[in-house]
Amino acid sequence: YARALDRAGNEDLLAGRQLVLDYLRAAYANNVDKLADLADQMAGMGRERLKGTFSLMLRWIRDLLLYRTMGADAPLVNVDQQDVIERFCKNIPGVDIEAMILLVEQAMELVERNVHQGLIVTTLAQRLHQTMRGTPVSRLYIPLVEANGLHP
């Protein structure tokens, strides 16, 4: 309970949640100017902070999945954002939430591998846009060996 109270008043956590929401909205709308600003901001974070931001994103997407499945009775992490979550689910009914989760998990893995953070954030936004608009996307990236028809 004390930990939850600490987090509830944590300005960094609140700013991180807002960053995630702004990023997802900009990705959906394909707002290039906003995405460029957010990508610069996120690319300037250290690795651990960016992974933390992606972790917040996963919690947000988890809430979308739970709300879509359970409705208003869903045990949301971002309970104060239930109206935003509800609107997202109603306005984008065909979104593949499981694919969104996989994309963010792949982005976290790429951060761990020291891939350029700006590239990760920009590519993730493009893939999330495609996923939210109904285009099936299976991976965030294609390894060069597969792209060239080579097999390891």
Side-chain angles (χ1 to χ4, degrees), residues 8 13 26 48 52-53 57 69 74 83 108 118 129 132:
L13 179 62
E48 294 306 314
T53 300
M57 194 176 298
T69 304
D83 58 331
M108 289 177 77
H129 171 77
M132 287 188 269

Side-chain angles (χ1 to χ4, degrees), residues 2-122:
R3 195 168 157 206
L5 285 176
D6 286 341
R7 287 187 176 180
N10 185 328
E11 293 299 321
D12 289 337
L13 179 62
L14 295 175
R17 285 188 340 156
Q18 189 59 50
L19 174 67
V20 165
L21 187 54
D22 291 346
Y23 179 80
L24 290 173
R25 284 178 173 153
Y28 174 75
N30 202 24
N31 183 336
V32 178
D33 293 332
K34 182 71 171 176
L35 281 172
D37 291 341
L38 293 170
D40 286 344
Q41 182 180 350
M42 293 170 75
M45 297 176 172
R47 278 181 17 174
E48 294 306 314
R49 188 160 171 229
L50 182 58
K51 287 192 310 187
T53 300
F54 286 151
S55 181
L56 289 173
M57 194 176 298
L58 284 174
R59 287 187 196 113
W60 183 264
I61 297 169
R62 170 205 173 268
D63 282 352
L64 295 174
L65 184 62
L66 285 174
Y67 191 88
R68 180 196 278 173
T69 304
M70 301 175 70
D73 295 330
L76 303 176
V77 171
N78 299 290
V79 68
D80 60 320
Q81 299 289 318
Q82 183 171 345
D83 58 331
V84 176
I85 293 166
E86 180 181 358
R87 280 195 314 269
F88 184 97
C89 289
K90 285 182 180 176
N91 293 334
I92 312 173
V95 64
D96 185 350
I97 295 175
E98 292 84 1
M100 290 177 68
I101 292 168
L102 291 174
L103 290 169
V104 176
E105 287 174 342
Q106 290 171 17
M108 289 177 77
E109 182 181 320
L110 292 173
V111 170
E112 192 63 37
R113 291 184 183 179
N114 277 334
V115 174
H116 189 275
Q117 291 181 189
L119 182 60
I120 295 169
V121 172
T122 302

